């Protein structure tokens, strides 16, 4: 077979492949369908549970079995994503309406993870069965082949409510995200009915029925006036606040601020972060009104208690918490959904429009299926009624036939060949029979008890009921108003059965205002000990304890309390620390680890050099690394950076900074630099031979190293200085080494 080589532009192939990948992620993984409000993995988990028969009135089944079925039949993308989906479907603090009834540890609102899937069990909720999975057997949705075409799965579930609104959605695709808040089921149903009654209804009018989001964590929405624009455009920001209540202390009890509801965005690790932020406010003395904080939350609900000092300014403290913690947060809304196979952002009315169209489609397919079934029933019952009227002839035919096929042929076509009859009249009547195939099968399966008089009356009654259903279904299918009434009846039943009171209060609140207290500038003393604990202290107290402070700390410097400390590390980072963030304590107090007040990580880097921020201008700094690279950097390179952490120098792989020295005066007075290695090589040369480089440069070679040898110590001296170095306990005078050139191997000291 001949081969054809197609030549194409590589960039075109990559562009097409990436677009295909992007659309696959958007439509088949991360963004929900507007019709059922579910992502594919959620739809497949619910369908797998339905196929397993995990009804609300049946025993729970191991989650591992559910995950295994979903992965093996419908979703071959790994068990962790499927189990995570199952867990979230169970968590009522994340969903407007939980869809799975879990048994075991399915995690908590405070961020505790669920137990392994082999320990937990689950089944469907009654709500899920009635509202999400009902009528799947009535051909209401299309079924498509699964990934290996051995099974079929529904392309969409026949969900009877706008699930994308009730349960919300969040997902990150390629180049786009979706973020839809949860809403109250009863209010959403009311909005759907209002839209069905008047398709020209405005968004503002719809919001009289559904005023805004309703989060399972309660709390407050405080920008009510901005919600209209959000629901018209499908995008915007909702401002959330926790519910804070003041409890007056009785007797010896202290006054308390109690947080009983949290913003939806605080679910999980956000609660621990909030408590940590409050502790930081206390430690940094942003507030002195809080004496203690405790988390008394339980299964009954959230209860975070802040104990207050007597006569604390409660309103000021609330504003501080709103401004400085996640007790006030923002929920970004982007109502991105899949509609007609492509991603699109809809406002409230657009979502309801697609939902109602979907409901009419479901109802049409359902009643067409039911109508066909009733026509089949009508055909059968007409045949049975007719058969009952001529039952003697039927029995005579059956007794005269040799087999069932012969009897069926007589009933359907009047074929009387080889059938024995008692009389010629019976033979003539039998030849006139023309039952349908379905009627003939029903007659042949007819049981004798059905010939009792009451049973014949019941059959006649069933026939009349069938005729009534046929008339009803035909009316529904031909009359849109009748169909609308039927859909509304279903919605009203769902609301009556499952709706719950609203949890989230929607108001227009004034913005939280908190003015930072003006800082009185004063001179203080900063100290850091060898274990990395930092503190600041009063100058007078330092003077009284000067000797002990110097003895116990590696770094001690006088500065203003408004200044910052620059901390250079072995990893080549520069961390800036506000002195106001460091505890102001007595000289004998320990302080706090520097890790707690900066981005510094003591497990990954060592402190090499400390100085006051702002001293860089006009100064130059000598950098020396373990692999022997050196450079001089102008301090202005670090002056413009206002971030907490920046890269102070570029390092090669496995290299680290071993020394940083202020070098301005050293260059001016022609000082010498001495490099000492671990293997005992010493190289002395003028510091003026080290070039000035940018902070982004690696530098030049200061000393040539052999094997795994590396620079261990750096000294800056003058010719007159009599400085000694320690090499494995041996004192080595640096004056003994001749001044050489940079880049040499240096002199080896023998032990």
């Amino acid at each position: 077979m001949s081969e054809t080589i197609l030549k194409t532009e590589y960039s075109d192939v990559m562009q097409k492949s990436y677009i295909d990948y992007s659309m696959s992620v958007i439509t088949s993984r991360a963004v929900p369908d507007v019709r059922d409000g579910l992502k594919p993995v959620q739809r497949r988990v619910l369908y797998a549970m339905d196929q397993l028969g995990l009804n609300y009135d049946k025993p729970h089944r191991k989650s591992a079995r559910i995950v295994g079925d979903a992965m093996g039949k419908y979703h071959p993308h790994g068990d962790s994503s499927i189990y995570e989906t199952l867990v979230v479907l169970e968590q009522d603090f994340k969903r407007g309406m939980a869809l799975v009834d879990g048994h075991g540890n399915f995690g908590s609102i405070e961020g505790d993870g669920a137990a392994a899937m082999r320990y937990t069990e689950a089944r469907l909720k009654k709500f899920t069965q009635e509202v999400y999975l009902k009528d799947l057997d009535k051909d209401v949705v299309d079924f498509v082949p699964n990934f290996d075409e051995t099974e079929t799965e529904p392309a969409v579930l026949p969900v009877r409510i706008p699930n994308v609104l009730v349960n919300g959605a969040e997902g990150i695709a390629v180049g786009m995200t979706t973020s839809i808040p949860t809403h109250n089921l009863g209010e959403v149903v009311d909005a759907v009915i209002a839209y069905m009654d008047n398709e020209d209804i405005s968004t503002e009018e719809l919001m009289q029925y559904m005023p805004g989001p309703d989060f399972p964590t309660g709390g407050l929405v405080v920008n009510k006036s901005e919600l209209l624009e959000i629901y018209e455009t499908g995008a915007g920001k909702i401002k959330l606040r926790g519910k804070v209540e003041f409890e007056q202390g009785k007797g010896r009890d202290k006054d308390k601020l109690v947080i009983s509801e949290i913003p939806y965005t605080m679910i999980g690790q956000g609660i621990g972060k909030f408590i940590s932020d409050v502790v930081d406010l206390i430690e940094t003395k942003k507030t002195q009104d809080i004496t203690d904080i405790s988390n008394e939350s339980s299964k009954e609900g959230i209860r975070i208690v802040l104990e207050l000092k007597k006569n604390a300014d409660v309103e000021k403290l609330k504003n501080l918490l709103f401004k400085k913690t996640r007790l006030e947060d923002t929920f970004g809304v982007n109502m991105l959904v899949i509609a007609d196979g492509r991603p699109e952002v809809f406002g409230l009315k657009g979502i309801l429009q697609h939902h109602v169209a979907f409901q009419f489609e479901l109802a049409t397919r359902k009643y067409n299926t039911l109508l066909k079934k009733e026509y089949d029933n009508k055909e059968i019952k007409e045949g049975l009624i007719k058969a009952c009227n001529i039952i003697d002839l039927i029995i005579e035919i059956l007794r005269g036939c040799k087999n069932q096929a012969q009897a069926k042929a007589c009933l359907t076509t009047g074929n009387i060949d080889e059938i024995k009859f008692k009389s010629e009249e019976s033979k003539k009547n039998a030849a006139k029979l023309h039952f349908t195939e379905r009627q003939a099968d029903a007659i042949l399966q007819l049981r004798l008890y059905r010939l009792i008089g009451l049973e014949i009356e019941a059959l006649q009654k069933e026939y009349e009921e069938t005729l009534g259903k046929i008339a009803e279904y035909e009316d529904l299918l031909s009359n849109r108003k009748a169909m609308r009434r039927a859909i509304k009846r279903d919605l009203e039943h769902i609301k009556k059965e499952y709706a719950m009171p609203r949890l989230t209060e929607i108001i227009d609140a004034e913005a939280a205002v908190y003015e930072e207290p003006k800082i009185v500038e004063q001179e203080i003393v900063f100290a850091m000990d060898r274990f990395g604990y930092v503190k600041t202290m009063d100058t007078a107290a330092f003077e009284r304890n000067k000797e002990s402070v110097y003895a116990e700390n590696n770094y001690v410097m006088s500065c203003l309390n408004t200044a910052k400390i620059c901390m250079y590390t072995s990893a080549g980072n520069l961390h800036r620390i506000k002195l106001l963030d460091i505890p102001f304590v007595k000289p004998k107090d320990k302080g706090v680890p520097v890790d707690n007040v900066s981005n510094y990580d003591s497990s990954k880097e060592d402190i090499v050099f400390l100085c006051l921020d702002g001293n860089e201008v006009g100064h130059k700094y000598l950098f020396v690394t373990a692999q022997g690279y050196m450079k001089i950097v102008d301090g202005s390179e670090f002056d413009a950076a206002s971030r907490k952490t920046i890269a102070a120098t570029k390092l090669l792989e496995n290299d680290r900074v071993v020394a940083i020295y202020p070098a301005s005066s050293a260059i001016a007075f022609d000082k010498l630099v001495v490099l000492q290695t671990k293997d005992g090589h010493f190289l002395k040369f003028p510091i003026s031979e080290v070039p000035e480089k940018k902070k982004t440069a690696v530098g030049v070679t200061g000393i040539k190293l052999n094997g795994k040898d590396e620079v261990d110590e750096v000294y800056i001296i003058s010719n007159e200085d009599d400085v000694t170095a320690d090499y494995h306990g041996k004192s080595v005078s640096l004056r003994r080494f001749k001044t050489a050139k940079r880049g040499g191997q240096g002199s080896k000291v023998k032990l």
Side-chain angles (χ1 to χ4, degrees):
M1 186 175 72
S2 61
E3 294 183 355
T4 303
I5 298 175
L6 299 175
K7 292 185 178 181
T8 185
E9 182 66 34
Y10 180 73
S11 60
D12 294 341
V13 175
M14 289 299 294
Q15 183 180 21
K16 183 180 183 303
S17 299
Y18 189 74
I19 290 172
D20 291 344
Y21 163 73
S22 302
M23 288 304 296
S24 174
V25 172
I26 293 165
T27 59
S28 303
R29 192 178 305 176
V31 181
D33 193 297
V34 70
R35 294 171 293 176
D36 63 4
L38 297 169
K39 300 178 187 179
V41 64
Q42 295 169 330
R43 187 179 303 121
R44 289 163 178 167
V45 167
L46 294 177
Y47 182 64
M49 294 179 74
D50 182 61
Q51 292 300 101
L52 281 168
L54 299 183
N55 298 342
Y56 73 95
D57 53 354
K58 299 290 179 62
H60 293 78
R61 190 77 68 88
K62 284 287 185 184
S63 298
R65 173 62 192 276
I66 299 168
V67 171
D69 262 43
M71 182 168 63
K73 292 182 177 179
Y74 313 115
H75 195 76
H77 299 294
D79 57 357
S80 59
S81 63
I82 298 172
Y83 184 51
E84 183 181 343
T85 298
L86 179 66
V87 168
V88 173
L89 289 173
E90 192 276 344
Q91 292 175 329
D92 56 6
F93 53 84
K94 283 190 178 177
R95 296 275 157 193
M97 296 292 290
L99 304 181
V100 170
D101 177 16
H103 189 197
N105 176 17
F106 275 84
S108 75
I109 194 171
E110 296 183 49
D112 302 313
M117 69 179 83
R118 61 183 179 274
Y119 299 123
T120 60
E121 299 175 338
R123 65 184 177 189
L124 293 167
K125 280 186 172 285
K126 184 181 179 183
F127 171 74
T128 313
Q129 284 181 238
E130 288 202 357
V131 181
Y132 287 68
L133 298 164
K134 190 176 179 181
D135 297 332
L136 269 174
D137 59 340
K138 295 182 177 65
D139 190 35
V140 291
V141 294
D142 293 331
F143 276 72
V144 296
N146 69 336
F147 61 92
D148 61 359
E149 299 188 355
T150 58
E151 303 272 348
T152 59
E153 59 178 311
V156 62
L157 291 185
V159 180
R160 294 153 66 195
I161 59 168
N163 178 61
V164 75
L165 292 175
V166 172
N167 276 329
E170 55 184 26
I172 301 174
V174 179
M176 57 184 67
T177 63
T178 183
S179 179
I180 304 172
T182 59
H183 296 81
N184 183 272
L185 173 63
E187 294 174 357
V188 171
V189 167
D190 289 340
V192 174
I193 292 173
Y195 177 80
M196 293 178 73
D197 289 338
N198 176 19
E199 294 188 356
D200 294 325
I201 192 172
S202 67
T203 303
E204 187 174 5
E205 290 170 325
L206 282 170
M207 290 182 67
Q208 293 176 9
Y209 301 94
M210 194 195 80
D214 185 26
F215 296 102
T217 56
L220 292 84
V221 170
V222 296
N223 60 332
K224 180 179 179 180
S225 58
E226 298 175 13
L227 294 182
L228 177 59
E229 184 179 355
I230 292 173
Y231 283 107
E232 281 185 335
T233 62
K237 292 181 178 179
I238 297 173
K239 291 181 182 176
L240 308 176
R241 279 186 190 172
K243 192 171 185 179
V244 185
E245 298 169 337
F246 176 73
E247 290 186 2
Q248 184 80 41
K250 296 180 180 179
R252 293 186 178 181
D253 292 341
K254 294 184 177 180
D255 293 345
K256 297 173 182 175
L257 270 186
V258 178
I259 295 144
S260 55
E261 296 175 7
I262 59 173
Y264 184 70
T265 52
M266 262 178 67
I267 288 175
Q269 302 299 326
I271 294 177
K273 178 68 166 60
F274 168 74
I275 293 173
S276 174
D277 289 343
V278 173
V279 171
D280 285 344
L281 292 175
I282 298 169
E283 288 182 348
T284 56
K285 298 189 177 179
K286 290 274 191 336
T287 179
Q288 297 181 355
D289 288 337
I290 302 174
T291 59
D292 191 22
I293 180 170
S294 58
N295 188 359
E296 300 176 6
S297 304
S298 64
K299 290 182 179 179
E300 282 67 44
I302 295 293
R303 183 177 169 85
I304 302 171
V305 179
L306 309 179
E307 288 191 359
L308 308 180
K309 284 184 177 178
K310 192 174 182 180
N311 299 323
D313 189 335
V314 174
E315 287 305 314
K316 181 180 178 182
L317 182 56
K318 282 184 183 180
N319 286 333
L320 173 65
L321 295 174
F322 290 145
K323 293 292 284 185
K324 297 295 183 180
T325 73
R326 292 185 67 183
L327 194 59
E328 179 176 289
D329 208 352
T330 300
F331 184 96
V333 177
N334 188 40
M335 294 191 192
L336 177 76
V337 290
I338 301 299
D340 301 322
R342 63 175 184 268
E344 193 169 346
V345 176
F346 286 113
L348 173 60
K349 192 172 175 180
I351 289 175
L352 294 182
Q353 179 183 354
H354 277 80
H355 170 74
V356 170
F358 182 53
Q359 294 310 301
F360 273 99
E361 179 187 342
L362 292 178
T364 301
R365 293 181 64 161
K366 172 185 173 181
Y367 290 118
N368 270 322
T369 302
L370 292 175
L371 182 62
K372 182 179 182 301
K373 183 180 177 181
E374 292 305 323
Y375 268 120
D376 291 344
N377 284 339
K378 175 177 175 287
E379 179 185 342
I380 291 170
K381 286 179 173 61
E382 285 175 344
L384 290 175
I385 291 170
K386 182 179 177 182
C388 287
N389 292 332
I390 56 170
I391 193 63
D392 292 336
L393 176 61
I394 299 293
I395 292 172
E396 190 173 339
I397 292 170
L398 295 177
R399 293 186 70 176
C401 290
K402 295 178 181 179
N403 52 53
Q404 185 174 329
Q406 198 176 48
K408 187 175 181 180
C410 179
L411 292 172
T412 54
T413 63
N415 187 347
I416 55 175
D417 296 344
E418 299 183 7
I419 299 177
K420 295 179 180 179
F421 291 94
K422 291 181 180 180
S423 66
E424 283 299 318
E425 186 180 355
S426 296
K427 191 174 183 179
K428 290 179 181 179
N429 290 334
K432 296 176 182 178
L433 294 178
H434 57 277
F435 289 100
T436 66
E437 291 273 339
R438 191 177 284 110
Q439 288 173 337
D441 288 335
I443 292 168
L444 292 172
Q445 294 171 14
L446 182 68
R447 298 191 178 189
L448 289 176
Y449 80 88
R450 296 301 300 268
L451 300 177
I452 300 171
L454 290 176
E455 287 293 328
I456 294 174
E457 288 180 12
L459 181 61
Q460 186 68 39
K461 187 176 180 181
E462 288 174 8
Y463 177 65
E464 290 171 359
E465 289 176 355
T466 298
L467 291 178
K469 288 181 179 178
I470 289 173
E472 178 189 351
Y473 297 154
E474 286 181 339
D475 180 52
L476 287 169
L477 290 168
S478 61
N479 187 338
R480 188 175 176 85
K481 289 183 179 179
M483 183 77 80
R484 184 185 298 118
R485 286 195 297 270
I487 295 171
K488 284 164 64 175
R489 279 197 303 270
D490 279 351
L491 288 172
E492 286 164 353
H493 169 74
I494 292 170
K495 177 185 174 181
K496 182 179 178 181
E497 187 78 14
Y498 301 106
M500 294 183 293
R502 164 173 280 277
L503 297 174
T504 302
E505 186 180 350
I506 299 177
I507 59 172
D508 262 323
E510 293 183 5
V513 177
Y514 173 74
E515 293 184 4
E516 294 275 359
K518 291 185 178 179
I519 299 166
V520 179
E521 195 171 73
Q522 62 177 7
E523 192 168 328
I524 57 171
V525 175
F526 163 83
M528 175 190 282
D529 65 17
R530 62 192 180 92
F531 299 108
Y533 279 76
V534 292
K535 59 187 176 185
T536 58
M537 65 194 83
D538 181 67
T539 304
F542 164 72
E543 291 294 336
R544 292 193 297 270
N545 299 272
K546 185 181 291 188
E547 290 185 9
S548 63
V549 172
Y550 275 116
E552 294 169 3
N553 294 281
N554 285 4
Y555 297 95
V556 178
M557 58 182 75
S558 295
C559 47
L560 293 174
N561 61 339
T562 53
K564 296 178 184 177
I565 294 291
C566 287
M567 185 168 66
Y568 295 83
T569 70
S570 57
N573 293 322
L574 165 57
H575 302 290
R576 282 185 167 79
I577 312 167
K578 289 182 179 179
L579 287 170
L580 289 169
D581 292 340
I582 299 172
F584 188 77
V585 297
K586 296 176 182 178
K588 293 182 180 180
D589 292 340
K590 194 171 185 64
V592 298
V594 70
D595 305 50
N596 293 4
V597 293
S598 68
N599 293 335
Y600 170 71
D601 187 346
S602 57
S603 64
K604 297 179 180 178
E605 51 189 345
D606 299 317
I607 299 166
V608 176
F609 178 66
L610 254 70
C611 68
L612 280 174
D613 189 26
N615 287 356
E616 296 92 344
V617 180
H619 287 72
K620 298 182 187 298
Y621 295 93
L622 172 69
F623 282 73
V624 185
T625 74
Q627 293 183 13
Y629 290 97
M630 306 177 68
K631 65 179 176 183
I632 289 174
V633 182
D634 192 285
S636 60
E637 293 256 332
F638 313 113
D639 179 53
S642 59
R643 290 172 295 180
K644 280 189 174 182
T645 300
I646 63 167
T649 186
K650 183 179 180 181
L651 294 172
L652 297 180
E653 188 176 0
N654 298 323
D655 201 2
R656 70 181 192 282
V657 178
V658 294
I660 299 174
Y661 283 105
S664 305
S665 58
I667 298 169
F669 293 100
D670 201 19
K671 295 264 187 174
L672 304 170
V673 60
V674 181
L675 304 181
Q676 175 186 346
T677 72
K678 283 189 174 180
D679 289 347
H681 285 86
F682 287 80
L683 178 64
K684 181 166 70 175
F685 56 88
I687 196 172
S688 57
E689 292 190 10
V690 181
E692 187 173 319
K693 299 275 186 181
K694 295 288 185 182
K695 69 177 182 181
T696 52
V698 174
V700 297
T701 302
I703 183 172
K704 287 184 180 178
L705 301 173
N706 297 319
K708 294 184 179 180
D709 194 13
E710 58 183 35
V711 175
D712 194 28
E713 295 288 346
V714 180
Y715 307 92
I716 292 182
I717 62 173
S718 62
N719 278 319
E720 295 77 23
D721 294 336
D722 188 12
V723 179
T724 59
D726 177 75
Y727 178 61
H728 293 288
K730 178 180 179 179
S731 294
V732 179
S733 174
L734 300 183
R735 293 182 65 179
R736 60 179 276 194
F737 299 110
K738 292 183 179 179
T739 303
K741 293 286 187 181
R742 175 184 61 78
Q745 289 187 337
S747 303
K748 169 75 172 173
V749 173
K750 296 181 180 180
L751 293 174

